[in-house]
Amino acid sequence: MTKDILVVDDEADICDQLRAILQDEGYTVRVARSSDEAEQMIAHRFPHLILLDIWLQGSPRDGLELLMLFKTQCPSLPIVMMSGHATIEIAVQAMQKGAEDVIEKPFKTEKLLHILDRVFQMQFLLQENAHLKTQSFSQDAFVGHSPFIQQLQATVAKVSALNARVFISGPPGTGKTLLARQIHRASRRKDAPFVVAHCSLFQDSPYVDQRFMGTETHDQRQVGFFEQAHGGTLFLDEVCSLPQAFQTKLVRFLQDGKFTRMGGQNPVQVDVRIMASTSRDPQEALADGTLREDLYHRLNVVCIPMLPLAQRREDVIPLAHHFMQMCAAVLGLPERPFSQDAMAALQSYAWPSNVRQLQHTIEWLLIMGTGGARDPITVDLLPKDIYEMAPLILKSERKKDLMALTLRDARAVFEREYLQAQLLRHNGNISRVANNIRMERSALHRKMKSLGLDHCE
C-alpha cells in the first residue's frame, strides 16, 4: 500500500514541488500551508510521515512547536524537518525533540528520497524488533509435509494477493496469528503496519472504545488500533471476546472504514485490511450470542480452519527439528539429535496445546534435559506427561517385561504393541505404516488380522 505523507510548509512553490516529486514516487500526498491546517489534517488522519517546515511564517505555531505536539500525540510518527536557513543549533534542537532528520532547502530530489527511504526502513526495522521482543522463540513460517500444510501454503499465496477479509478458526496454539502475519507479509501491504489487537484483554474492559478508536481532546489526540493500522492490517485475535456493544461499532466501521475518536467530532477515514481469529467453534459462538451474526458474515469472506497437531502427526518431526535448530541458536547451545523411539513418542502424543506446546517442549529439553550436550534425546528424557502417554513398547521398563515371556508370546506382544505404536504415530494410515516399516500393504493387513488388531483406514 502507498505511504501517506503530509507536507507542512507556508511556501506554495515548495508544496507543489514536493507534491509532484512524491506522487511520482508513488506516495499519497496531503498539503498544509499553516499549523492550523496541519492540525486539522492530523485530526482527520495521522499520516505515515510528515515533512515539516521549521519556521512556518504567519502560523500560530512554528515547526518545532508542531513537532513536539505531534510527537506527544503519536510518539512513533516519523517527522523530517525542512528549513532554508536553519542553524546547526536549530537542527540539533529539532533532532533532540524527536525529528528523524533535517533537510536544507532548496534540496536535491535524490537526497530527499534517500532520507525518506531510510526513515521508512528504520520504522520497519523498529516494528520488526518490537515484534521479535514479544515473541521469544517464535516460528516465522509453517513447517511440515502434511497435505494440510501444503494446502495452507497455497491458500496464503492466493489470499495474500487479494484485499479480502480473512477469518481464521482453530484451537489455541495452532498458529492463527502466524498465519495472519504470513498473509500480511506476502501482500501489497507488507511494508505497512501489522497491528495485533488481543480482544480477550477487552472482554470486560471499559476502555475498549478508546483502545480501538483513540481519544481526542481540545489539545491532545491519541491514536487507537484502527489508526495505527492505516495502510496495513489489523488482526483481531479472539474476536469473540469483544463486548457486544463494541461488536456493533465494529460492524459500522467495516462498512465504510470510518470512525470517530472518543471525545472527537470529525470522522476519521482509514484504509485497513481486517483479519480475525477465534479458538471457539464459530457456530457455537453464533448460537450462544457471543459473536454477532452480522459481524461474523462481514469478517468471514475467506474462512481458514486450522487443524490441531494431533490430526497432522507427520508434521511433528519436521517441527521438532525446526524448533531444535531455532532454539539452540537463540540459547547458544548445541543441537541434540532425537532417538528413533523418542521421535515415535513425540508423534504418538496428542499435543493438547498444539504447536506451541511442542515448541516449549523442545526448549525445555535443551535447557533442562540431562545427558551430554550432544547426546541423543531418548524417550526417558521426555517430559513426564509425554513419557507417560508414550506407547508401552517405547518404554524401557516395558521392554524388561518381555523377558518373562516365552519367545512365541514375547514376539506376539512385541508385534502387536509395535504395530499399535506405528498406527498411532501415523494417524492410522496403513499405507504410511507399511512404507515406514518396509512391509507390503497386503502383508500388513494379514499380520494385523492375525494379531487381532481391528482397524478401519
Side-chain angles (χ1 to χ4, degrees), residues 35 51 67 77 118 133 144 164 175 217 221 263 268 270 281 313 327 340 356 371 387 400 402:
S35 62
L51 284 169
L67 169 65
L77 176 64
R118 178 177 56 78
K133 284 182 178 179
T217 62
R221 299 181 188 90
V268 179
V270 292
D281 181 330
R313 295 178 192 267
C327 297
Q340 287 294 321
R356 185 182 298 134
Y387 177 80
K400 295 176 184 177
L402 294 176

Side-chain angles (χ1 to χ4, degrees), residues 133-196:
K133 284 182 178 179
T134 64
Q135 293 299 307
S136 182
F137 307 138
S138 65
Q139 88 186 96
D140 57 3
F142 284 97
V143 175
H145 311 302
S146 66
F148 169 76
I149 291 296
Q150 295 173 18
Q151 180 61 46
L152 194 64
Q153 291 168 342
T155 300
V156 169
K158 188 173 184 178
V159 173
S160 298
L162 308 174
N163 201 39
R165 295 172 191 142
V166 178
F167 192 85
I168 307 169
S169 62
T174 50
K176 297 186 290 294
T177 302
L178 173 62
L179 175 60
R181 190 177 294 278
Q182 279 206 335
I183 293 172
H184 171 79
R185 286 178 172 172
S187 74
R188 289 172 294 176
R189 298 174 180 264
K190 62 183 179 181
D191 295 326
F194 178 84
V195 177
V196 179

Side-chain angles (χ1 to χ4, degrees), residues 63-78:
L64 291 178
E65 291 174 313
L66 279 183
L67 169 65
M68 291 187 291
L69 175 64
F70 294 156
K71 280 293 184 179
T72 299
Q73 296 174 354
C74 185
S76 63
L77 176 64

